[in-house]
Amino acid sequence: MNLNAIKKYVIGNPFETHAVENDADIITGELKYFLSNDDHTVLTYNMGEHDKVYGMGEAVRGINKRGWIYETYCSDDPMHTETKRSLYGAHPFAVIDGKDVFGVFIDYPDRLTFDIGYTQSNILTIKIPEANYKLYIIEGKTPLDVVKKFRVLIGKSYIAPFWSFGFQQSRWSYATSAAVQSVIDSYKNNGFPIDAVYLDIDYMEDFKDFTVSEERFPEFESFVASAKNENIHLVPIIDAGVKVENGYDVYEEGRANNYFCKDKNGEDFIAAVWPGKVCFPDFLNKVASEWFGLKYKRLIDAGIDGFWNDMNEPAIFYSEKALDKAIDKVASYKGKNIGVYDFFALKDTVLGLSNSYSDYSSMYHNVNGDLVCHEKVHNLYGYNMTKSASDAFKKISPDKNILIFSRASYIGMHRSSGIWMGDNQSWWSHIKLNLQMLPSLNMCGFLYTGADMVGFGDNCTEELALRWLALGIFNPLMRNHSALGTRDQEFYRFEKISVFRELVKLRYALIPYLYSEYIKSVENDDMMFKPLAFEYRDDKYAQSVEDQLMIGECIMIAPVYEPNAIGRYVYIPEDMIAVHFRSENDYSVEKYNRGHFFIEIPTNEVVIFIRKNKALPLVKSADCTANIDYSTLGFVGNVDKDFQYTICKECGAANGESRISKINCRVFGKSEGINLNYEVMK
Ligand code: GLC
């Protein structure tokens, strides 16, 4: 692709983030579109009244980001309410769609703000704390064109293994091998397909990275192997902080070799997370990063082939210094008659202990021999932790595609791994947030992603679980995960177990489509999930649809995300068929012309809208991805002319056949003389 449409401006002396892979030529002189103050720390753009602004990756609110102020700052914050400005990932890329169509990426690793019509409704203001950054302006004919050019700039997205498109079950925590086995057995005995079960922090010994508790997981290696025999991948968590403990080799090696972040006196910076006191590996130091990455080998040698990297903003509960100060401050109130302001201050003293500016600015990295304050490069920490793992996997196990995804991220990390959307809640509004984040993340290169299905914090209900599952089956990362102390939410726990089973099976029937569309999106720098506004540019109704998505080239979804609903209003942007799936085999079809419709969607149904002259490939579901049989592939189609569909090679090659010419298909529309063919992508 021609990168001439990209204008790169270098302001001051930027820190090298490695966000960009295929760089553009530097432009000097006047900034295009933006007005800038003298020192280039404030950029403003006058938006037209109806301009839309997309992007910002992992963030609250709608697909159109206009009307709020966002900070790109990796934040450990599980309360994703609409007033929040940052979540776990930092993705400073926005696409303006209006009188001008362009993208803007500020490559800068510290906190910056995008005020998108919040202070003044028609002004987009970007504030950067210092005049040292790179700015990219990406011009295009359409928002999608802009996104695709941006994606070429930042490089190809990570490809997750095929099995990671299977259903995955997690909980904080299945704390013993017996607990894990019981989850596997319960799913299998109840006839659910499943591919992975997660190991949260309790598999470790005292929360020490790369250890396994012998007491709770005796003979770990054979346990991993026996799970593998049942086609279950066990996926352990790795946390950023390394427990301070004499005799613990990871800590000892890190300390001896100066692999940890330092304080301003050159001592190891110590703060507390799950294990109590920890040191943070200095992932911006190349040698330290390589050292930590190779530690994953221990678990890979035990048969593990998937990981999730957590607490890597990095999350800090408290530092020793801050805790001492806070305790003194709290003690100073003892016996006093505390009024309103003192009471607020007292509360803030304790709440302000975690993830504080004062701690982040007391922590230092060694970047090629230079001491760099963490606060200046905060957004690169999780990115580099995860890159360290992914780089190491290529050395440890070059022939295997090991699953990796992270909580914190920055643009550029999308080349090494996926992300999950962090600690959401079992709230109805978070189903919608899950949907809205998918396209925004795709714009920033993150294709392998998903939310904690059914919600991490708080307690779910059966209805919420069913509605979330009906969206969850389309998330590339389809993982049911929940927090300590919340109500059990494994699907076999619910009364309507057979409905849950049929919907999970439907996911497996859809995997060839979902994985193919995922691979194509990676290869073509495309979005797997698109807002309707991107696809139907001339349709004024499609421009503001915030709760429906196009997935890949053939389908649209419109999930229900409200309680007690019998269905919902759907905007149908072209002639489509709505396929109401009650199971992979049991479905009914309605035809719609363009327009607004109320569509009844009971909780036991998933409705998939198939576009005109497109068809949806489906296989017979299997108990796991490894047993999907491609000779069962068929199509549900909405065609009146020949239709060609391409399927990615990993799916197509799975049963050794390169092309299957005889297919089962059920075609709606004028089916006479129609050919449905599919081809394996070369
Ligand atoms: C963090 C993670 C969550 C995990 C928990 C315990 O909150 O985001 O997914 O379950 O830590 O490890």
Side-chain angles (χ1 to χ4, degrees):
M1 181 175 296
N2 176 3
L3 288 176
N4 289 342
I6 302 183
K7 299 188 170 22
K8 172 184 178 183
Y9 302 84
V10 176
I11 317 292
N13 185 17
F15 187 87
E16 184 47 71
T17 66
H18 301 286
V20 158
E21 198 175 58
N22 303 311
D23 221 341
D25 292 338
I26 299 175
I27 307 275
T28 47
E30 286 279 291
L31 267 185
K32 199 157 180 197
Y33 303 114
F34 286 96
L35 282 176
S36 157
N37 66 340
D38 287 347
D39 67 358
H40 293 287
T41 52
V42 182
L43 310 175
T44 51
Y45 171 74
N46 288 314
M47 298 185 285
E49 205 182 331
H50 301 294
D51 286 11
K52 296 185 286 290
V53 180
Y54 299 107
M56 305 311 297
E58 191 175 349
V60 296
R61 298 196 172 223
I63 301 173
N64 180 355
K65 295 307 209 203
R66 191 163 173 170
W68 190 239
I69 180 167
Y70 301 88
E71 278 176 12
T72 58
Y73 193 74
C74 297
S75 306
D76 167 28
D77 182 349
M79 285 295 150
H80 309 170
T81 53
E82 65 180 61
T83 56
K84 290 300 159 73
R85 297 180 176 189
S86 321
L87 298 178
Y88 303 90
H91 308 134
F93 171 61
V95 183
I96 289 82
D97 178 20
K99 54 184 171 23
D100 305 310
V101 178
F102 67 96
V104 52
F105 171 46
I106 311 281
D107 186 11
Y108 178 73
D110 186 4
R111 185 191 306 263
L112 62 128
T113 55
F114 277 65
D115 178 338
I116 311 178
Y118 165 76
T119 305
Q120 279 177 276
S121 60
N122 286 344
I123 309 268
L124 162 65
T125 307
I126 304 175
K127 280 195 186 150
I128 308 106
E130 54 169 330
N132 292 312
Y133 59 90
K134 293 179 207 160
L135 180 149
Y136 295 84
I137 303 273
I138 302 111
E139 298 184 304
K141 288 192 197 71
T142 62
L144 183 59
D145 189 28
V146 169
V147 167
K148 285 185 163 186
K149 285 177 180 151
F150 177 62
R151 294 271 303 281
V152 172
L153 182 75
I154 60 175
K156 290 272 178 259
S157 300
Y158 163 76
I159 295 188
F162 183 62
W163 66 261
S164 69
F165 271 63
F167 165 57
Q168 314 189 37
Q169 179 62 49
S170 184
R171 178 168 184 90
W172 175 18
S173 263
Y174 304 128
T176 61
S177 49
V180 172
Q181 191 59 52
S182 140
V183 173
I184 299 172
D185 294 346
S186 305
Y187 271 114
K188 294 218 173 246
N189 295 341
N190 283 297
F192 281 82
I194 179 165
D195 270 78
V197 176
Y198 278 64
L199 305 181
D200 208 322
I201 45 175
D202 297 293
Y203 79 88
M204 296 183 235
E205 190 189 292
D206 297 332
F207 310 125
K208 286 184 284 193
D209 278 339
F210 312 113
T211 67
V212 175
S213 158
E214 281 195 16
E215 192 194 328
R216 292 188 302 279
F217 286 82
E219 294 171 36
F220 185 64
E221 218 171 302
S222 43
F223 182 59
V224 176
S226 85
K228 213 32 103 39
N229 255 338
E230 297 188 80
N231 287 307
I232 298 291
H233 300 255
L234 299 180
V235 184
I237 196 167
I238 302 291
D239 284 320
V242 169
K243 181 171 167 57
V244 173
E245 184 182 280
N246 291 333
Y248 167 38
D249 59 344
V250 183
Y251 169 65
E252 297 268 7
E253 283 171 33
R255 188 181 53 175
N257 294 294
N258 289 316
Y259 289 157
F260 295 133
C261 292
K262 300 288 185 186
D263 65 17
K264 68 172 185 315
N265 304 318
E267 301 293 324
D268 288 342
F269 174 85
I270 296 178
V273 199
W274 307 122
K277 288 182 196 165
V278 298
C279 287
F280 293 106
D282 185 354
F283 292 109
L284 276 74
N285 169 344
K286 207 165 163 273
V287 187
S289 176
E290 275 170 17
W291 161 76
F292 191 86
L294 290 173
K295 294 287 173 229
Y296 287 77
K297 184 167 187 302
R298 293 181 185 175
L299 290 160
I300 293 171
D301 286 348
I304 293 297
D305 55 7
F307 296 91
W308 47 315
N309 279 351
D310 191 24
M311 306 299 271
N312 53 2
E313 293 72 32
I316 292 182
F317 291 173
Y318 63 86
S319 66
E320 216 166 36
K321 235 170 64 195
L323 183 66
D324 285 348
K325 255 170 85 184
I327 290 173
D328 289 348
K329 173 113 193 194
V330 171
S332 74
Y333 290 113
K334 196 164 178 205
K336 289 200 180 137
N337 178 359
I338 303 178
V340 53
Y341 300 115
D342 277 341
F343 181 66
F344 287 164
L346 172 64
K347 269 199 339 198
D348 290 348
T349 304
V350 178
L351 293 176
L353 272 176
S354 300
N355 308 319
S356 73
Y357 172 80
S358 99
D359 283 339
Y360 289 141
S361 53
S362 316
M363 180 173 155
Y364 290 85
H365 297 273
N366 170 356
V367 184
N368 304 320
D370 292 336
L371 217 57
V372 176
C373 179
H374 174 79
E375 179 62 26
K376 294 260 171 243
V377 289
H378 175 74
N379 293 337
L380 300 181
Y381 193 78
Y383 165 11
N384 282 287
M385 174 188 181
T386 304
K387 185 170 182 302
S388 102
S390 132
D391 288 351
F393 296 166
K394 289 177 202 129
K395 294 184 199 143
I396 300 167
S397 189
D399 300 329
K400 225 186 212 169
N401 187 3
I402 293 176
L403 173 67
I404 175 87
F405 60 90
S406 167
R407 194 171 74 174
S409 61
Y410 182 72
I411 287 173
M413 199 192 82
H414 70 286
R415 296 190 297 269
S416 306
S417 105
I419 57 175
W420 91 100
M421 297 171 186
D423 295 351
N424 59 7
Q425 307 287 327
S426 295
W427 298 343
W428 287 94
S429 60
H430 280 189
I431 301 181
K432 190 171 175 198
L433 187 61
N434 177 178
L435 179 142
Q436 290 170 322
M437 254 194 232
L438 287 165
S440 308
L441 284 170
N442 278 194
M443 293 176 208
C444 299
F446 294 96
L447 298 182
Y448 187 74
T449 185
D452 285 348
M453 197 172 37
V454 193
F456 174 74
D458 237 323
N459 297 313
C460 68
T461 60
E462 180 171 77
E463 188 196 5
L464 176 119
L466 277 171
R467 292 303 196 188
W468 206 321
L469 175 57
L471 169 64
I473 64 171
F474 300 100
N475 279 232
L477 166 61
M478 181 198 177
R479 182 177 77 145
N480 178 343
H481 181 48
S482 55
L484 191 69
T486 57
R487 185 174 182 182
D488 291 333
Q489 62 184 43
E490 293 82 13
F491 294 139
Y492 55 79
R493 309 262 186 193
F494 294 101
E495 239 174 281
K496 293 183 179 155
I497 184 166
S498 60
V499 179
F500 285 95
R501 178 173 45 239
E502 291 314 322
L503 299 191
V504 177
K505 283 169 80 177
L506 179 61
R507 157 67 170 219
Y508 278 73
L510 289 167
I511 284 179
Y513 179 71
L514 295 173
Y515 199 71
S516 296
E517 292 305 316
Y518 166 67
I519 297 289
K520 285 187 230 169
S521 304
V522 174
E523 298 207 340
N524 303 328
D525 304 297
D526 205 341
M527 293 165 64
M528 178 174 169
F529 298 92
K530 295 190 187 87
L532 271 59
F534 277 36
E535 198 70 53
Y536 302 95
R537 291 286 293 155
D538 299 326
D539 179 331
K540 76 168 177 187
Y541 297 116
Q543 296 312 303
S544 57
V545 176
E546 284 275 347
D547 57 358
Q548 301 174 204
L549 289 178
M550 310 305 298
I551 307 181
E553 61 175 283
C554 300
I555 66 171
M556 180 181 86
I557 58 164
V560 174
Y561 53 87
E562 278 174 349
N564 307 311
I566 57 162
R568 54 162 288 177
Y569 285 95
V570 179
Y571 177 59
I572 304 214
E574 62 176 313
D575 294 355
M576 286 183 170
I577 57 168
V579 189
H580 291 246
F581 285 99
R582 288 165 288 277
S583 77
E584 56 183 310
N585 304 313
D586 175 17
Y587 54 87
S588 47
V589 175
E590 290 158 359
K591 289 193 81 170
Y592 289 95
N593 298 324
R594 178 169 174 254
H596 291 91
F597 300 91
F598 186 87
I599 299 187
E600 287 186 25
I601 309 174
T603 51
N604 66 338
E605 280 187 4
V606 170
V607 180
I608 299 180
F609 298 87
I610 302 180
R611 300 176 68 178
K612 179 100 179 131
N613 286 321
K614 302 284 179 195
L616 174 67
L618 292 157
V619 277
K620 189 170 177 317
S621 70
D623 63 337
C624 62
T625 50
N627 290 336
I628 289 179
D629 174 1
Y630 288 86
S631 68
T632 63
L633 192 85
F635 285 85
V636 178
N638 176 24
V639 295
D640 59 14
K641 63 177 192 217
D642 289 2
F643 172 78
Q644 183 89 14
Y645 184 77
T646 313
I647 228 160
C648 83
K649 78 186 155 231
E650 194 157 348
C651 319
N655 66 353
E657 294 200 47
S658 60
R659 191 183 175 96
I660 302 165
S661 52
K662 260 201 183 162
I663 52 168
N664 312 311
C665 62
R666 201 171 151 199
V667 184
F668 301 88
K670 287 186 248 148
S671 61
E672 224 175 305
I674 298 303
N675 279 316
L676 279 175
N677 275 318
Y678 80 91
E679 233 191 330
V680 178
M681 201 156 97
K682 300 281 182 313

